[in-house]
Amino acid sequence: MDYHIYGVPRLKWIKIFFLTAVFCLSTHAHASALPRKPSSSSNSPQINSNSVLVALLDSRYTELAELVEKALLLPTLEDAVGKHNITIFAPRNEALERDLDPEFKRFLLEPGNLRSLQTLLLFHIIPNRIGSGEWPGGLAGDPTHGTLSNDRLSLASKGSGVKSVDLAAVVHPDAIVRPDGVIHGIERLLIPLSVEEDFNRRRSLRSISAVLPEGAPEVDPRTHRLKKVLPVPAGAPPVLPIYDAMAPGPSLAPAPAPGPGGPRGHFDGESQVKDFIQTLLHYGGYNEMADILVNLTSLATEMGRLVSEGYVLTVLAPNDEAMAKLTTDQLSEPGAPEQIMYYHLVPEYQTEESMYNAVRRFGKVRYDTLRLPHKVVAQEADGSVKFGEGDGSAYLFDPDIYTDGRISVQGIDGVLFPPEEKESKPETKTSRAAKVVSKSRRGKLMEVACRMLGAFGQDSRFTTCQ
């Protein structure tokens, strides 16, 4: 009885306890050896000190690392490294300091061109690991690889063993090798086509805005024929008034000013009008104005033609809140949208500063509009510029939305209408009073004539005078 209670059961329990402890220790050691999954609280992957990104920031490619930080691309690159290995083509510092065009570098560092800078840098990164030993050889059928900017890069290797990436030669293959990526040093900066087109577009707009208009031919208003073209000094405004350019004579239309068809081809009014309409859409709050210019009317085409012929325009653009107050009766009449918009187009180039200085100096200023013969009145009010008078006035709400030297867009908070022509009621009253006076004067003259005839003894013949 005692043997079964104190002998064998005790040995069995000791053996079971020993085996259980060994199993728990082995399980804990195996679990600690497995890689831990990232915690759900952190969305971005953890980058260790041996990462290729840390190596890039601490490498000799300081100019590239500085651009990556300015472009705010570190979170994007951390996500890319967490998903797959990457290959970075790093231009040498001299290519970004001395060899790069200063105007292009200034363009990249402008705050408004952050997307272009990001596209440029992501063009140098391939979401795949390509070492120097995996480089494709031969010039025919070079494979292309997709980059993080959704563009393609072609890798090639010449017979002399020189490796190249597009137009740049690889000067330091496998410059930095890490478990999650590799960095190759290249001799020059790689520029994608989209960034190059954006830079050329901005540069062309800047050059267009710096060119002063050339004179237009003059039309004889009597014969509607072109006068003898005289040399026009540089910077002179068009000789032909803008109204004649809009509505030419019935017999002969005026020849266009030296614009795109001229020898220099400075002005591209269509692209400038498209640019300012896109600026209105991106600015926000002026969608109705853009819709009227493009869809409801042909004013965008007319404005582009005028700018191409050398003229300048200032657009007083009502915002969406002001356009929403227009009634159906105001827009239902034929040509009503065009007439409304014509009253908001000033054939001058005015900015907020120029208009405010004018109204501060002269009080009220009347600007010509394309809606003849009406003019829009501007005056200073509450530290800003106020257009119109009375209830139909509007304030300068968003100044200088778009200014390129040819077209100026100024946002206002109301729709302007020309003052209505007053009826000539006082003139009618005056004419009636004049008639009464003339009748009384006529009676006096007849009375005097009858008296004179009576004095000469002719009373019997002129009895009607009595």
Side-chain angles (χ1 to χ4, degrees):
M1 185 73 179
D2 294 339
Y3 176 78
H4 290 286
I5 296 175
Y6 298 103
V8 177
R10 181 179 298 174
L11 292 175
K12 287 183 178 181
W13 284 112
I14 292 174
K15 188 181 294 184
I16 291 172
F17 178 78
F18 178 76
L19 292 176
T20 304
V22 172
F23 177 77
C24 293
L25 290 175
S26 62
T27 304
H28 179 70
H30 180 67
S32 61
L34 293 176
R36 294 184 178 180
K37 297 182 179 180
S39 60
S40 59
S41 60
S42 178
N43 296 329
S44 61
Q46 297 294 330
I47 302 300
N48 54 25
S49 59
N50 200 27
S51 173
V52 68
L53 294 181
V54 179
L56 173 64
L57 298 178
D58 296 338
S59 66
R60 54 181 160 178
Y61 303 106
T62 55
E63 291 293 326
L64 179 63
E66 183 179 356
L67 289 180
V68 169
E69 293 180 353
K70 289 183 178 180
L72 308 177
L73 284 179
L74 288 179
T76 303
L77 297 181
E78 289 177 1
D79 294 339
V81 169
K83 295 177 182 178
H84 39 65
N85 290 354
I86 62 174
T87 300
I88 303 177
F89 300 102
R92 53 194 182 92
N93 291 335
E94 292 79 5
L96 297 176
E97 286 179 347
R98 295 193 299 266
D99 300 341
L100 192 62
D101 184 10
E103 188 177 356
F104 181 68
K105 188 173 183 179
R106 192 182 311 112
F107 162 78
L108 293 176
L109 296 180
E110 289 179 357
N113 302 326
L114 179 62
R115 188 177 299 275
S116 298
L117 178 61
Q118 293 176 346
T119 303
L120 176 75
L121 296 177
L122 294 178
F123 186 64
H124 292 73
I125 303 174
I126 295 177
N128 190 14
R129 186 187 185 93
I130 302 176
S132 59
E134 304 170 356
W135 214 273
L139 295 176
D142 297 335
T144 59
H145 296 267
T147 63
L148 293 182
S149 64
N150 297 326
D151 294 304
R152 306 290 296 181
L153 275 178
S154 61
L155 279 63
S157 179
K158 299 181 181 179
S160 59
V162 178
K163 300 177 176 58
S164 63
V165 183
D166 273 0
L167 300 178
V170 179
V171 293
H172 295 291
D174 295 336
I176 299 176
V177 179
R178 292 293 184 269
D180 54 357
V182 60
I183 299 178
H184 303 288
I186 57 178
E187 63 173 354
R188 53 174 295 181
L189 184 69
L190 303 176
I191 303 177
L193 182 60
S194 59
V195 176
E196 184 177 355
E197 291 177 351
D198 193 13
F199 169 66
N200 291 333
R201 189 183 308 111
R202 298 293 179 89
R203 183 170 58 178
S204 64
L205 287 176
R206 190 177 298 113
S207 63
I208 287 175
S209 63
V211 175
L212 295 175
E214 298 180 1
E218 185 177 0
V219 177
D220 191 347
R222 298 174 299 173
T223 62
H224 293 287
R225 294 181 179 275
L226 296 177
K227 294 183 178 180
K228 185 178 179 181
V229 180
L230 300 176
V232 181
V239 178
L240 184 66
I242 190 171
Y243 311 109
D244 291 344
M246 290 178 55
S251 60
L252 179 65
R264 301 181 183 178
H266 293 314
F267 310 120
D268 186 4
E270 183 179 354
S271 64
Q272 288 182 265
V273 171
K274 287 182 179 179
D275 193 34
F276 103 75
I277 291 177
Q278 291 178 357
T279 303
L280 278 181
L281 296 176
H282 290 312
Y283 192 89
Y286 295 89
N287 297 333
E288 296 294 335
M289 179 73 178
D291 184 59
I292 289 180
L293 293 177
V294 177
N295 298 326
L296 295 183
T297 64
S298 60
L299 289 177
T301 306
E302 295 181 16
M303 294 170 63
R305 189 181 301 113
L306 289 175
V307 175
S308 298
E309 292 178 0
Y311 301 101
V312 293
L313 291 172
T314 298
V315 182
L316 304 179
N319 55 19
D320 289 344
E321 296 181 3
M323 299 294 288
K325 297 178 182 178
L326 292 176
T327 61
T328 307
D329 297 337
Q330 292 173 331
L331 297 174
S332 60
E333 297 182 2
E338 288 86 350
Q339 294 299 322
I340 294 175
M341 290 298 103
Y342 279 146
Y343 192 62
H344 292 76
L345 300 179
V346 178
E348 303 176 20
Y349 186 80
Q350 297 288 342
T351 61
E352 179 203 13
E353 182 179 2
S354 63
M355 289 189 294
Y356 185 71
N357 291 338
V359 297
R360 283 293 302 272
R361 181 178 181 182
F362 302 107
K364 287 186 178 181
V365 179
R366 297 180 180 272
Y367 293 105
D368 292 331
T369 65
L370 297 189
R371 184 174 179 180
L372 291 174
H374 300 288
K375 298 184 178 183
V376 61
V377 180
Q379 55 185 331
E380 193 271 338
D382 300 332
S384 180
V385 181
K386 176 184 175 183
F387 299 96
E389 295 178 342
D391 297 335
S393 60
Y395 285 85
L396 185 59
F397 191 70
D398 291 319
D400 296 341
I401 297 178
Y402 179 86
T403 52
D404 66 351
R406 310 294 309 163
I407 301 176
S408 172
V409 181
Q410 308 293 330
I412 58 178
D413 61 353
V415 180
L416 301 175
F417 291 94
E420 299 179 358
E421 297 181 358
K422 298 181 180 180
E423 299 179 357
S424 57
K425 293 182 179 180
E427 296 180 359
T428 305
K429 294 181 179 179
T430 306
S431 62
R432 289 180 181 177
K435 286 183 180 180
V436 173
V437 173
S438 61
K439 283 183 179 180
S440 60
R441 183 174 181 82
R442 187 183 305 167
K444 291 288 185 182
L445 291 175
M446 290 293 293
E447 184 178 354
V448 172
C450 291
R451 288 181 181 178
M452 291 177 63
L453 291 175
F456 286 99
Q458 298 179 356
D459 297 343
S460 60
R461 294 184 181 182
F462 296 92
T463 54
T464 55
C465 294
Q466 295 178 355

